Amino acid sequence: IWKDPENAALKLEIKQLENQLNAFSNEKIELEKITLEFEHRYTMELGDTILKILQLNKQLNKDDAEKYEEAKKQEEEFYEQVVEEKKKNIHELSKEDKKEMKRKFRNATHLCHPDKVSDEFVEEATRVFIELKKAYDNNDLSRVSKLLNQLEEGKAFTTRSDTISDKEQLRTAIQRLRLQIQTLEEEITTIKESETYQTILDIEEWDDYFAGLKERLNNHLEELEMQVTQG
């Protein structure tokens, strides 16, 4: 049976782009996870102290309507952030468990990434992918392991490159993958250039960073408390 070599080349290119897309997607998710973990720890360790500072700041500006409203807004917004972070159930994992979870997560996304699967499976793959990412963000190693097992035991999805044979459809799929990869690259760059991520990069040891920041905030809180008492 004769096989069109151009079709084979197009299918191979799609496979390569799918793998590249998966790699960039995982990199973005990992960067987001680092940022989320930092913000969660920041809020959990320092949130109550910061709220007290914001409350005192509001009190100190009670005679200036504009500054008072701005201080009130800051307090309300940060309070909502604290409430949301306290709702999260993020598991504590050892370094080895984190490595295992990361490996299993990557293997699982390779089998269910919605941007890779054929059109008829996109909806279901998206559902599984969202559940997988949620488990990963929460350090839920047990759930990540279970989802990977399900995918490996026969619930993996057919990829787009395995179901398309028409040349124009193959070319369209290639163009779409290239655009998705370009978008991911831009999003990754944005995360890396963000103020939060740059702060994280500069921190050698999180424990020391948060301990020092907590001490400075407590000192600032004491100063504000004195101002309120005196004023």
Side-chain angles (χ1 to χ4, degrees):
I1 300 175
W2 182 81
K3 293 185 179 180
D4 189 338
E6 186 178 357
N7 269 37
L10 291 170
K11 281 178 173 285
L12 178 61
E13 184 174 358
I14 287 180
K15 282 286 187 185
Q16 292 170 337
L17 289 171
E18 285 174 344
N19 290 334
Q20 191 176 358
L21 175 73
N22 215 138
F24 278 120
S25 177
N26 285 335
E27 181 181 358
K28 180 192 171 188
I29 289 170
E30 184 61 27
L31 290 171
E32 289 174 334
K33 187 174 189 298
I34 292 170
T35 304
L36 287 172
E37 286 181 345
F38 178 82
E39 290 175 344
H40 179 73
R41 184 165 177 183
Y42 178 93
T43 305
M44 296 303 291
E45 290 200 24
L46 309 173
D48 291 340
T49 303
I50 293 173
L51 276 176
K52 290 177 183 177
I53 290 173
L54 293 174
Q55 289 164 0
L56 290 172
N57 189 47
K58 182 180 68 175
Q59 191 173 344
L60 287 167
N61 287 287
K62 61 185 178 183
D63 296 328
D64 186 321
E66 185 177 344
K67 289 184 178 180
Y68 177 85
E69 287 302 319
E70 179 62 26
K72 181 181 177 183
K73 181 181 178 182
Q74 289 179 348
E75 179 194 356
E76 290 173 349
E77 289 178 349
F78 191 74
Y79 175 78
E80 291 177 4
Q81 179 181 328
V82 171
V83 170
E84 288 303 312
E85 289 298 328
K86 287 184 176 181
K87 287 180 182 177
K88 294 180 180 179
N89 182 27
I90 299 180
H91 300 252
E92 292 291 332
L93 295 178
S94 66
K95 289 184 179 180
E96 289 303 314
D97 284 342
K98 285 184 178 181
K99 287 181 181 179
E100 180 184 357
M101 186 180 67
K102 186 174 181 179
R103 176 182 59 80
K104 289 184 174 182
F105 175 78
R106 290 191 170 190
N107 289 343
T109 61
H110 184 72
L111 300 173
C112 71
H113 199 292
D115 290 333
K116 292 171 49 180
V117 303
S118 55
D119 292 341
E120 64 267 31
F121 296 119
V122 168
E123 185 176 347
E124 178 63 14
T126 300
R127 184 192 65 78
V128 174
F129 187 83
I130 290 172
E131 186 177 357
L132 179 65
K133 185 179 182 303
K134 182 179 178 181
Y136 185 61
D137 286 341
N138 290 334
N139 286 341
D140 191 344
L141 176 56
S142 174
R143 188 60 185 154
V144 170
S145 299
K146 184 176 181 180
L147 289 168
L148 174 60
N149 289 338
Q150 291 175 349
L151 290 166
E152 289 179 334
E153 289 171 2
K155 294 186 179 180
F157 301 96
T158 306
T159 61
R160 190 174 289 112
S161 58
D162 291 329
T163 58
I164 300 175
S165 57
D166 179 76
K167 286 183 183 178
E168 286 307 312
Q169 289 182 333
L170 289 168
R171 292 191 182 101
T172 299
I174 287 172
Q175 184 62 28
R176 180 164 60 176
L177 285 166
R178 285 175 177 168
L179 288 173
Q180 289 170 325
I181 290 169
Q182 181 181 347
T183 299
L184 281 171
E185 286 181 302
E186 291 170 355
E187 291 172 344
I188 287 170
T189 299
T190 298
I191 294 172
K192 288 182 175 180
E193 292 178 350
S194 69
E195 183 179 351
T196 300
Y197 190 74
Q198 289 299 314
T199 298
I200 294 171
L201 283 181
D202 290 337
I203 299 172
E204 294 184 5
E205 177 54 55
W206 282 25
D207 289 342
D208 294 340
Y209 172 81
F210 283 109
L213 187 53
K214 190 169 188 176
E215 183 179 356
R216 293 194 296 274
L217 285 171
N218 282 327
N219 290 337
H220 183 49
L221 177 60
E222 290 177 5
E223 292 173 2
L224 291 176
E225 287 172 337
M226 289 180 62
Q227 290 180 38
V228 170
T229 301
Q230 293 170 359

